[in-house]
Amino acid sequence: MTTPQSILFVEAILAVPLLILGISHICQRQMWIDFFEELAEKGEAGVIWRTFLFEIWPAIIIVVAHQDWQWPGLAITVYGNLLLAKVTLSLLFPQLGLHSLKQAKRFGGNAFVVAGALLVLLGALCAYRVAPLYLA
């Protein structure tokens, strides 16, 4: 069951990693392009690596403990549910996940900047919502 305490706990856990990953996507675009290309070369194994390294854990945490359907928490809830859908599709239909990995080369750094900006926004939202707990 989702409670106000579990919602804040999830946001406290996610704030720093979302900010770091987002800033990294923006500042180190080429590193992420190279990494995704390397994963794509591994085929379906690369899909599994990406899914388990970056996607399944935050998706599970959000879906289990952050079902906040009021703004602004809604943004995190929607992100987690969409991420779980992506995880599910990638693991049940690995060719879709592989296609996603191959897009890094096609779209290049701009896609990572956009993704990074979204991650920074989500991380900043989480940080903003939990900051009063640490500043009190």
Side-chain angles (χ1 to χ4, degrees), residues 34-50:
D34 295 345
F35 179 63
F36 272 55
E37 286 178 2
E38 188 175 316
L39 288 176
E41 290 173 9
K42 295 180 185 302
E44 293 176 358
V47 173
I48 293 169
W49 275 106
R50 184 212 43 213

Side-chain angles (χ1 to χ4, degrees), residues 5-133:
Q5 293 82 12
S6 71
I7 289 168
L8 288 174
F9 181 72
V10 169
E11 292 173 359
I13 288 173
L14 292 177
V16 172
L18 286 172
L19 287 167
I20 292 170
L21 281 171
I23 293 168
S24 174
H25 272 57
I26 294 167
C27 297
Q28 297 296 330
R29 293 175 281 207
Q30 191 59 50
M31 176 184 74
W32 285 101
I33 292 168
D34 295 345
F35 179 63
F36 272 55
E37 286 178 2
E38 188 175 316
L39 288 176
E41 290 173 9
K42 295 180 185 302
E44 293 176 358
V47 173
I48 293 169
W49 275 106
R50 184 212 43 213
T51 301
F52 278 84
L53 281 173
F54 300 110
E55 298 169 341
I56 200 166
W57 304 112
I60 290 170
I61 291 168
I62 293 168
V63 168
V64 168
H66 193 288
Q67 292 301 303
D68 184 358
W69 296 99
Q70 295 180 15
W71 187 260
L74 173 66
I76 304 299
T77 299
V78 169
Y79 169 70
N81 283 278
L82 289 173
L83 195 57
L84 184 62
K86 180 182 178 189
V87 164
T88 302
L89 288 172
S90 289
L91 293 177
L92 295 179
F93 305 99
Q95 289 305 312
L96 286 175
L98 189 57
H99 178 73
S100 171
L101 284 173
K102 291 179 180 178
Q103 295 305 307
K105 186 173 189 174
R106 179 175 173 212
F107 290 108
N110 292 336
F112 284 101
V113 170
V114 171
L118 291 172
L119 292 172
V120 167
L121 286 172
L122 288 171
L125 174 63
C126 289
Y128 172 77
R129 286 175 43 102
V130 300
L133 299 174

